[in-house]
Amino acid sequence: DAGITQSPRHKVTETGTPVTLRCHQTENHRYMYWYRQDPGHGLRLIHYSYGVKDTDKGEVSDGYSVSRSKTEDFLLTLESATSSQTSVYFCATSFGQNPNTQYFGPGTRLTVL
Amino acid sequence: AQKVTQAQTEISVVEKEDVTLDCVYETRDTTYYLFWYKQPPSGELVFLIRRNSFDEQNEISGRYSWNFQKSTSSFNFTITASQVVDSAVYFCALSESNRGAQKLVFGQGTRLTINP
């Protein structure tokens, strides 16, 4: 358990509105990740961070941006939400390089109407 | 590109039966890690095991065992004497390293239902 919290846990929003999801960790882990989970796709990586202000794109980054201004927080922003972004979003963290097990937060269920 | 395939979408067995979940992966990396995660009905993701590409020893933890075979690119998971509490979605994942970060590529998951 890496002491990861996500907020909000549930959100319903309308198409075209901006949405920010927050991931907060208390373990001083260097690496943080955002995934989305959709039926039939498992989990897919959106963005990840390898340090403060250092981020990179994952497999499904279009329509998403991230920011990491301090070690403990990793924000995921949907600039203009679309219905295709309805999903469950998971944050994960890991301590260091190999071996590097990721521990996941509880998830945020986002519905875009 | 890396890929993980869990061909079994759903499995249903009766309690106390043994069950094996299949995982086949593709990678060009010589060093990589494989993982299994469990997602119970409550929705959280629980880490079960990590295996690196240099260690082909099978591992057993209680009723759980894992068979890693590099020759067939498989990392299968067996639950012995299954219990209702084992009902969950199980994900196999493969790591891809970039700048020290371990980007995970997940399979589609196998939904396991253990019936009493």
Side-chain angles (χ1 to χ4, degrees):
Chain A
D1 185 1
I4 305 170
T5 57
Q6 293 184 231
S7 59
R9 293 293 313 280
H10 302 271
K11 187 171 182 66
V12 179
T13 191
E14 294 189 350
T15 297
T17 60
V19 176
T20 295
L21 308 183
R22 180 187 185 223
C23 177
H24 179 78
Q25 54 119 344
T26 58
E27 300 293 323
N28 201 34
H29 283 182
R30 177 179 177 182
Y31 300 94
M32 298 185 75
Y33 310 81
W34 277 108
Y35 293 86
R36 60 178 287 174
Q37 182 180 11
D38 304 290
H41 290 278
L43 282 83
R44 293 177 291 175
L45 182 65
I46 305 171
H47 280 281
Y48 62 100
S49 169
Y50 42 96
V52 173
K53 297 192 190 311
D54 288 327
T55 65
D56 206 346
K57 296 179 179 180
E59 177 188 357
V60 290
S61 59
D62 287 349
Y64 302 95
S65 63
V66 290
S67 65
R68 191 167 178 204
S69 59
K70 46 188 177 178
T71 299
E72 57 266 35
D73 288 328
F74 192 32
L75 304 181
L76 177 71
T77 297
L78 291 65
E79 303 290 348
S80 177
T82 68
S83 59
S84 65
Q85 293 175 313
T86 293
S87 187
V88 180
Y89 291 85
F90 285 96
C91 173
T93 74
S94 59
F95 176 70
Q97 299 189 29
N98 297 333
N100 199 352
T101 298
Q102 292 182 29
Y103 296 93
F104 285 80
T108 293
R109 182 173 295 277
L110 176 66
T111 301
V112 183
L113 301 175
Chain B
Q2 303 201 332
K3 186 178 179 181
V4 175
T5 302
Q6 295 180 254
Q8 304 150 309
T9 305
E10 296 190 26
I11 299 175
S12 181
V13 300
V14 176
E15 198 171 20
K16 297 184 183 177
E17 286 187 19
D18 299 346
V19 58
T20 295
L21 310 182
D22 297 332
C23 173
V24 175
Y25 63 92
E26 298 175 25
T27 181
R28 292 182 180 178
D29 291 349
T30 55
T31 302
Y32 52 89
Y33 287 84
L34 294 160
F35 301 80
W36 276 94
Y37 285 87
K38 174 183 180 180
Q39 187 175 44
S42 51
E44 73 272 23
L45 284 155
V46 179
F47 165 72
L48 294 178
I49 190 172
R50 177 189 67 237
R51 171 68 65 214
N52 78 49
S53 54
F54 291 99
D55 184 0
E56 290 196 64
Q57 285 189 349
N58 292 334
E59 178 148 344
I60 298 174
S61 176
R63 297 183 296 106
Y64 295 174
S65 62
W66 290 268
N67 182 6
F68 174 35
Q69 291 195 339
K70 217 169 174 179
S71 60
T72 57
S73 297
S74 65
F75 186 41
N76 297 335
F77 173 31
T78 297
I79 301 175
T80 303
S82 60
Q83 300 177 1
V84 172
V85 293
D86 296 326
S87 296
V89 179
Y90 291 87
F91 292 98
C92 180
L94 170 67
S95 69
E96 176 183 344
S97 181
N98 186 28
R99 305 184 191 184
Q102 292 285 335
K103 299 156 58 179
L104 292 181
V105 175
F106 282 82
Q108 303 93 321
T110 297
R111 181 177 299 278
L112 176 64
T113 302
I114 311 297
N115 299 298

